[in-house]
Amino acid sequence: MMILRPRFLSPSAAAHPEPSRISSSSSASRRRGRRRPRHPTSKPPSSSPSPPPPPQPDLRRLTSRIVDLTRRRQLSQIMDEVDAARRRGLDRGGAGAGLNTIVMNAVLEACVRCGDVDLALRLFDEMRLPGGCGVDGVSYGVLLKGLGIARRIDAAFEILESIEKDSSIGSPWLSPHLICGFLNALIEAGDMRRANALVARFRQVLYEGHSVLLYNLLMKGYIKSNFPLGALTVKDEILRQGLKPDRLTYNTIISACVKSAEIDMAIRFLEDMKEEANRDNNPELLPDAVTYTTLLKGLGNSRDLYSVLKIVVEMKSAPISIDRTAYTAMVDALLACGAINGALCIFGEIIKQAGNNKDLRPKPHLYLSIMRAFATIGDLDMVKRLNKRMWPDSVGSISRSAKQEADELLMEAAINNNQVAVKVETLSGFTNSLLRPHIVLDDPVEKYMVPFQETQPLHADLILDDVVMRFFEDPVVPIVDDWGSCVGIVHRHDCTKMDAPLLSMSRGPPLCVPTSTSVEHVIDLLLREKSQMVVVVKRGNMYEGSYTSSSRPLGVFSLAILWKFTVDASDIDGVGAS
């Protein structure tokens, strides 16, 4: 029969209990001997006090620093600071180089978190050497977890067998907690075959605690695998062992049902959970925010609006704390069911409560979800408002992809509303204004064109130096010949020679479209040809192409003209034109 050592009992402390008692009694006698002198002229004793012990590094601060650097995955910085602490300990004459097992366990955890298991093994070997700081159960647990993550299963089993035979340095206790760390690493990797083998190998140790922790881990493993409903067989095993499922057990089972799209089964387990909690008078078994959030995800995927509303009402009446994640799940489920107004009501509730609780401030994901819904129905005004408020009201950083998606949703809303303003704004570079779209894509261009004579065309033979001020006012100007026919269009940035005629700086014959052409096609033509103006002609059999003498110009259509229709400058931010 194997005799297990107490986990926290050091062999050296058990073999020599007397020195600490003697030390404490001598300290007490010294405290009793310290009395204030009766006269201020009393002389101090002749014997000089012994020098104070060399100062040790602040190990608590060093451990906190290692934990902080571990979160940032800065393993090289951790090793540099640990080496510096060792050197300081050696220079001051500190025993064990000034570092203890707690500090080195934190370093082992950093190595495992950063994926350097080889370094963790080397440090572990240094710790258990005669001159090292020693190892304990935490050291073995961290190392087993690292070996499981690195899929070095054989090495991990060798360590477990040495612990079982009581031949490991540090005399660790083969506890369920120690094995569950290794088991969890296997489950996270989705290796259920080795996880089940580990359970079978150390079944006696794992079951001696009569805890559902092991079964909860196994259920999580089935959820990560391709057989989530295997978690139900684990629940049956829990009942056969005479154990009672806890809240985590039910949450895991409900998550398995949701992943398998078995929503009715998930609802039944929710009812069983509440019934058992009321029967045993156990409030710790009642559903929490995680339970309801998991269910909302499944109900949203199944488009069951009635059940979603029922769960939302139940959450608000239950004695639970509804956090940002739970509120976000409500909105997502309502949006998935097409209940945009209901989602907007929950969103308004979040914004209202976030005034008193900053932890409820929504993330950009929530704004984008609502913007997608309104963009689908073409509600440009609401998409625009949400896009404007996402920047100051959301919490966390807004990624580049989120910014790009917000711009695309503005365009999608405008197009779905049969409006083109956002499309023109995005593709032509007008990105710093609020839109007032008034142009419909299917309308003929004749409805929005400007009569040709109102554009005040210039003669093609004029020298640029004589009319250069015109191009400071207009970015593009049509030019005509002696018969009044449009022979070209001159763009401002093409005007490079002051002594040259305008005709030499035009881009050839102008782009022409008939009056019946749709606005959408005209805009696509302008953007594709990288031009800013087209000439509208009367010929009905002409769709686009070069200008001919038989196609008399009736008007022009340009991006600048379009912008005058789509943006009312006096309405932007409530500031009138100056």
Side-chain angles (χ1 to χ4, degrees):
M1 178 178 179
M2 182 178 64
I3 300 177
L4 300 178
R5 297 178 183 268
R7 186 175 183 185
F8 300 107
L9 183 59
S10 171
S12 60
H16 306 282
E18 293 299 326
S20 60
R21 187 171 62 186
I22 295 172
S23 174
S24 53
S25 63
S26 62
S27 298
S29 63
R30 283 197 302 269
R31 284 195 299 269
R32 288 194 297 267
R34 290 174 186 167
R35 297 179 179 177
R36 298 180 62 180
R38 295 182 179 179
H39 303 284
T41 58
S42 300
K43 294 183 180 180
S46 58
S47 59
S48 60
S50 60
Q56 295 292 328
D58 191 346
L59 299 184
R60 182 176 298 178
R61 183 179 300 174
L62 177 61
T63 305
S64 177
R65 173 70 173 164
I66 292 172
V67 172
D68 182 57
L69 292 174
T70 301
R71 296 193 189 100
R72 294 184 258 171
R73 300 294 193 271
Q74 297 181 1
L75 183 58
S76 59
Q77 181 66 25
I78 291 174
M79 298 310 300
D80 291 342
E81 297 195 13
V82 169
D83 291 340
R86 280 176 173 169
R87 289 193 297 270
R88 289 195 300 268
L90 290 173
D91 293 342
R92 295 168 180 172
L99 300 181
N100 59 16
T101 307
I102 297 177
V103 176
M104 294 309 299
N105 284 343
V107 178
L108 287 179
E109 181 69 27
C111 295
V112 171
R113 290 282 187 91
C114 298
D116 196 342
V117 181
D118 292 329
L119 179 57
L121 285 170
R122 290 198 300 269
L123 292 174
F124 184 82
D125 291 337
E126 293 177 4
M127 291 168 63
R128 62 181 183 175
L129 288 175
C133 62
V135 294
D136 56 8
V138 176
S139 310
Y140 280 96
V142 173
L143 187 63
L144 286 171
K145 181 175 67 174
L147 292 172
I149 294 174
R151 309 304 300 278
R152 296 164 73 163
I153 310 301
D154 294 337
F157 271 103
E158 289 178 3
I159 293 177
L160 285 174
E161 289 175 356
S162 67
I163 296 174
E164 185 182 23
K165 296 176 182 178
D166 203 17
S167 60
S168 298
I169 297 177
S171 299
W173 177 31
L174 188 61
S175 63
H177 181 77
L178 185 67
I179 300 176
C180 285
F182 178 40
L183 177 64
N184 186 61
L186 294 175
I187 288 174
E188 290 290 340
D191 193 347
M192 288 303 298
R193 182 177 64 86
R194 286 191 171 91
N196 286 319
L198 178 64
V199 173
R201 174 68 178 81
F202 298 98
R203 183 181 300 273
Q204 183 177 0
V205 178
L206 290 170
Y207 287 176
E208 68 182 9
H210 297 287
S211 172
V212 295
L213 171 63
L214 167 66
Y215 300 101
N216 292 339
L217 287 175
L218 289 175
M219 285 191 293
K220 185 176 73 170
Y222 281 112
I223 292 177
K224 288 182 173 292
S225 66
N226 295 325
F227 185 52
L229 287 182
L232 301 183
T233 62
V234 179
K235 179 179 180 292
D236 296 336
E237 180 66 20
I238 293 176
L239 299 177
R240 279 195 297 269
Q241 293 293 330
L243 301 176
K244 286 186 175 295
D246 59 4
R247 179 186 291 162
L248 179 58
T249 305
Y250 276 107
N251 286 348
T252 308
I253 294 174
I254 291 174
S255 178
C257 295
V258 168
K259 188 173 182 180
S260 303
E262 297 288 345
I263 306 302
D264 293 336
M265 189 181 298
I267 295 292
R268 286 199 299 271
F269 278 116
L270 174 67
E271 297 302 325
D272 293 344
M273 189 177 184
K274 293 187 290 185
E275 181 181 350
E276 185 175 347
N278 294 329
R279 183 180 64 247
D280 298 341
N281 195 20
N282 182 12
E284 296 297 326
L285 194 58
L286 289 172
D288 60 357
V290 177
T291 314
Y292 291 114
T293 300
T294 306
L295 274 172
L296 284 174
K297 181 179 179 181
L299 293 172
N301 293 336
S302 61
R303 307 292 193 272
D304 189 351
L305 178 58
Y306 174 78
S307 298
V308 168
L309 293 174
K310 183 179 178 181
I311 292 296
V312 169
V313 173
E314 185 174 331
M315 289 179 68
K316 291 187 175 182
S317 60
I320 62 173
S321 176
I322 303 179
D323 56 5
R324 177 171 53 209
T325 303
Y327 272 120
T328 303
M330 292 182 192
V331 175
D332 288 340
L334 290 169
L335 290 176
C337 296
I340 300 179
N341 291 334
L344 203 59
C345 291
I346 299 296
F347 180 74
E349 183 178 344
I350 299 173
I351 298 299
K352 182 179 180 180
Q353 295 192 17
N356 298 324
N357 186 1
K358 299 300 181 183
D359 293 335
L360 291 179
R361 291 181 61 188
K363 290 188 176 182
H365 153 76
L366 189 58
Y367 281 90
L368 292 175
S369 298
I370 303 177
M371 289 170 65
R372 291 189 202 104
F374 282 106
T376 302
I377 63 176
D379 193 337
L380 177 62
D381 184 63
M382 184 60 70
V383 174
K384 186 171 54 180
R385 292 181 184 179
L386 290 168
N387 183 44
K388 183 179 179 181
R389 298 308 310 171
M390 181 174 67
W391 306 97
D393 292 346
S394 64
V395 65
S397 60
I398 301 178
S399 63
R400 181 177 299 179
S401 60
K403 298 176 183 178
Q404 182 179 358
E405 183 177 1
D407 294 337
E408 292 173 354
L409 289 173
L410 281 170
M411 180 188 298
E412 181 181 346
I415 293 176
N416 288 338
N417 197 26
N418 203 21
Q419 297 175 343
V420 73
V422 176
K423 180 178 179 181
V424 175
E425 180 190 55
T426 303
L427 297 179
S428 61
F430 298 100
T431 58
N432 295 322
S433 65
L434 300 176
L435 302 179
R436 300 293 184 270
H438 299 289
I439 289 185
V440 181
L441 287 172
D442 295 335
D443 283 348
V445 69
E446 182 182 17
K447 183 177 178 180
Y448 305 102
M449 73 176 186
V450 174
F452 187 75
Q453 293 302 323
E454 291 185 11
T455 63
Q456 299 180 359
L458 298 176
H459 198 280
D461 295 335
L462 290 175
I463 304 300
L464 176 61
D465 190 29
D466 297 334
V467 292
V468 66
M469 295 303 298
R470 173 67 184 277
F471 290 93
F472 281 96
E473 300 175 0
D474 300 322
V476 58
V477 178
I479 55 176
V480 295
D481 56 13
D482 294 336
W483 293 274
S485 300
C486 183
V487 294
I489 295 175
V490 181
H491 293 73
R492 177 190 295 164
H493 53 266
D494 292 335
C495 299
T496 57
K497 297 180 180 180
M498 298 296 293
D499 57 348
L502 297 178
L503 183 62
S504 64
M505 287 175 279
S506 68
R507 300 180 181 180
L511 295 174
C512 297
V513 296
T515 54
S516 59
T517 307
S518 66
V519 174
E520 181 180 13
H521 180 82
V522 173
I523 294 173
D524 290 338
L525 177 64
L526 288 171
L527 298 175
R528 184 173 67 250
E529 299 297 333
K530 297 182 179 180
S531 179
Q532 296 189 33
M533 180 179 289
V534 295
V535 178
V536 182
V537 296
K538 187 175 182 180
R539 279 187 56 180
N541 62 347
M542 184 180 190
Y543 197 69
E544 61 176 271
S546 301
Y547 173 79
T548 60
S549 58
S550 60
S551 302
R552 306 296 298 177
L554 296 179
V556 297
F557 186 87
S558 65
L559 295 180
I561 295 172
L562 177 63
W563 191 247
K564 292 179 181 179
F565 279 99
T566 56
V567 176
D568 185 359
S570 63
D571 291 339
I572 297 178
D573 291 336
V575 180
S578 57

